[in-house]
Amino acid sequence: MENLALIDSFSEFKDDKLIDRVTLMAILEDVFRNALKKKYGSDDNFDIIINPDKGDMEIWRRRVIVADEDLDFENEEITLTEARRIEADFEIGEEVSEEVKLIDLGRRAILALRQNLISKIHEHDNTNLYKQFKDIIGDIYTAEVHHVRPRVVILVDDEGNEIVLPKEKQIPSDFFRKGDNVRGIIESVELKGNKPQIIMSRTSEKFLEKLFEQEIPEVFDGLITVKNVVRIPGEKAKVAVDSYDDRIDPVGACVGMKGSRIHGIVRELGNENIDVINYTSNIQLYITRALSPAKVSSIKINEETKRAEVFLKLEEVSKAIGRGGHNIKLAGQLTGYELDVIREGDVASGEDDDVELTEFSDEIEGWVIEEFAKIGLDTAKSILKQEVEDLVRRTDLEEETILDVIRILKEEFDS
């Protein structure tokens, strides 16, 4: 039948676009019904039978037989004389079904019909593509470099979908060639006209968080939680991690033996320096850890203004600030506090006669000394200058242990 060639071409869309049979039939029927409405004014009395798998389609028009002189609605009625040309024993009031050939619609209508079909299939594809990528915003995605432009890299995935990686979403050290595989997160999906534009990012904090999920099994399994991530892409990042299981060292598990676990993440991010720290709700201790590798002497916090004065020895100031101010900037972002560095005097502070805390290892257990060292207190006087309540907040030590240490230190200086 003459419908076959047209239906064959329609079936190509099913193969090319991977549209399921039910959807294709619905689109085809909608397109044909629109064409029938234009031709006949209504499609209510038409039956459309489509079999895209076989490349077959039939259109049947139902009309009621009326006397020749009573014909009022040509689309819905047929005269007795005309009906009996189809079948001799037809009577008035009976219904006649006739097949409508596509050629009856006219060549121009057929061309318009095909164009309408193409438009609706593209619309269907774009809607599905928008939904597909909208559902994976924030997830890591891999695509291949198709074209490199000055302000953007165009990527293509395995299904031929185009993904955009803008210059500002690239790590400064990124360098791509055609054919390279690129990982990033799907950051957004925007409709440009009727076509979705899929934006990838490699600079987002979410990308680093998702890399932790991919590369570290304990994070993927939920044994370790990534509490917060801040980064200056390609330069430095700080990641706060926590675990509900006291048997797990979250920092050690994330970093791995000699940095083996985090090495792949660092390499992916163009050798971005990543500090992994233990999260704590103790804000003084959290700030102390966030300023690593600097050793903090003491901290004064203003909860109302969300500012903290951080006191450091002169030799620790540069470590706290970091190259280009990156370390203190990220520490502030991680903790949510504006950090002000206060430099302590060295000679004027009278610390010439101070004693290293390790000198008391016979009387103070090593793990207790280590706990003080974590917050930058590694001498006797640096501890004696602190308030007991402050030390309780900043360390994981009990008040009784701290008082015992202070007693030992005071006895040394009193003697």
Side-chain angles (χ1 to χ4, degrees):
M1 60 185 296
E2 64 214 36
N3 295 345
L4 285 176
L6 188 58
I7 294 302
D8 281 341
S9 67
F10 291 163
S11 296
E12 292 172 10
F13 289 112
K14 178 177 181 292
D15 297 328
D16 293 342
K17 299 295 184 180
L18 301 177
I19 297 175
D20 63 90
R21 182 177 182 275
V22 173
T23 302
L24 180 61
M25 288 179 68
I27 292 174
L28 283 169
E29 181 166 350
D30 184 49
V31 167
F32 283 117
R33 288 199 174 279
N34 284 335
L36 292 171
K37 286 176 186 176
K38 287 183 179 179
K39 174 72 175 177
Y40 298 102
S42 171
D43 68 323
D44 292 341
N45 57 317
F46 286 85
D47 296 317
I48 299 176
I49 304 167
I50 300 172
N51 190 339
D53 293 333
K54 292 182 179 180
D56 192 14
M57 181 204 71
E58 296 176 5
I59 302 175
W60 294 85
R61 178 165 63 161
R62 293 174 279 103
R63 289 191 289 178
V64 176
I65 301 171
V66 297
D68 290 9
E69 64 275 12
D70 293 337
L71 182 66
D72 293 322
F73 306 102
E74 191 172 343
N75 181 41
E76 299 171 6
E77 299 172 341
I78 184 172
T79 63
L80 181 60
T81 301
E82 190 178 348
R84 284 181 173 172
R85 289 196 190 105
I86 300 169
E87 195 170 317
D89 57 354
F90 270 135
E91 298 293 341
I92 292 173
E94 292 182 331
E95 188 174 77
V96 176
S97 289
E98 292 176 282
E99 186 174 0
V100 176
K101 306 296 186 182
L102 283 179
I103 198 169
D104 296 339
L105 300 177
R107 186 171 299 277
R108 184 175 296 178
I110 292 173
L111 290 173
L113 187 149
R114 180 178 174 81
Q115 190 58 46
N116 193 16
L117 175 69
I118 293 170
S119 175
K120 283 189 175 293
I121 287 180
H122 285 326
E123 183 181 318
H124 170 268
D125 286 346
N126 289 336
T127 300
N128 280 357
L129 190 63
Y130 181 81
K131 290 178 181 176
Q132 174 190 337
F133 280 90
K134 199 76 174 173
D135 289 342
I136 61 170
I137 286 177
D139 289 349
I140 285 184
Y141 204 77
T142 303
E144 185 179 294
V145 174
H146 180 65
H147 193 73
V148 179
R149 297 174 183 166
R151 299 297 305 166
V152 71
V153 173
I154 306 299
L155 310 168
V156 176
D157 67 9
D158 292 339
E159 296 177 359
N161 300 315
E162 189 177 283
I163 297 160
V164 176
L165 177 59
K167 186 73 174 177
E168 64 270 19
K169 306 292 182 183
Q170 299 169 29
I171 296 168
S173 60
D174 280 344
F175 179 76
F176 303 116
R177 291 187 179 92
K178 184 177 174 65
D180 287 349
N181 281 326
V182 179
R183 276 201 297 179
I185 63 155
I186 302 300
E187 187 173 71
S188 64
V189 184
E190 304 167 0
L191 281 173
K192 298 289 185 180
N194 288 326
K195 187 177 180 181
Q197 185 178 62
I198 304 155
I199 308 294
M200 179 183 279
S201 173
R202 287 173 49 79
T203 58
S204 168
E205 285 81 7
K206 194 72 176 177
F207 181 39
L208 179 49
E209 181 181 338
K210 288 294 181 178
L211 285 173
F212 266 68
E213 285 185 18
Q214 275 198 356
E215 303 294 333
I216 300 160
E218 290 87 346
V219 177
F220 180 82
D221 294 336
L223 297 173
I224 294 174
T225 304
V226 177
K227 301 292 286 188
N228 197 10
V229 177
V230 292
R231 60 187 291 224
I232 299 170
E235 293 288 343
K236 190 174 180 64
K238 287 184 182 285
V239 182
V241 294
D242 195 15
S243 175
Y244 66 86
D245 191 336
D246 293 337
R247 295 169 298 178
I248 295 176
D249 171 16
V251 172
C254 290
V255 174
M257 188 71 70
K258 296 182 179 179
S260 58
R261 283 187 160 185
I262 206 168
H263 180 68
I265 299 174
V266 170
R267 190 170 60 247
E268 175 70 51
L269 301 180
N271 294 322
E272 193 169 302
N273 184 3
I274 302 173
D275 291 342
V276 184
I277 68 168
N278 271 317
Y279 173 81
T280 175
S281 55
N282 180 333
I283 192 60
Q284 293 221 10
L285 182 55
Y286 194 28
I287 292 172
T288 299
R289 290 173 177 173
L291 282 168
S292 175
K295 293 179 180 179
V296 177
S297 298
S298 61
I299 301 173
K300 288 183 180 178
I301 291 177
N302 188 321
E303 292 284 358
E304 290 183 4
T305 61
K306 289 290 181 181
R307 295 183 75 93
E309 291 182 342
V310 182
F311 295 85
L312 303 114
K313 295 178 181 177
L314 288 177
E315 63 269 22
E316 298 296 326
V317 170
S318 61
K319 297 178 190 176
I321 294 172
R323 189 178 69 176
H326 293 161
N327 196 61
I328 196 164
K329 178 181 178 181
L330 290 175
Q333 291 175 357
L334 190 74
T335 59
Y337 278 75
E338 188 75 30
L339 304 180
D340 299 319
V341 171
I342 309 296
R343 295 170 172 80
E344 292 182 335
D346 47 356
V347 178
S349 62
E351 292 187 7
D352 291 340
D353 59 346
D354 205 352
V355 182
E356 292 287 332
L357 204 57
T358 51
E359 296 293 323
F360 298 88
S361 56
D362 290 342
E363 298 170 271
I364 303 173
E365 290 185 48
W367 69 271
V368 176
I369 294 174
E370 194 175 314
E371 193 64 25
F372 282 113
K374 285 180 183 177
I375 61 170
L377 304 179
D378 52 6
T379 68
K381 285 191 173 181
S382 67
I383 292 173
L384 291 174
K385 287 191 299 183
Q386 309 297 321
E387 296 292 333
V388 174
E389 294 80 7
D390 188 33
L391 292 173
V392 171
R393 282 196 302 271
R394 294 173 59 201
T395 68
D396 289 331
L397 298 173
E398 299 289 337
E399 183 177 348
E400 185 180 349
T401 304
I402 292 171
L403 289 172
D404 193 40
V405 170
I406 290 173
R407 176 186 58 77
I408 294 168
L409 299 180
K410 280 185 175 179
E411 285 177 0
E412 171 65 20
F413 283 99
D414 289 341
S415 63

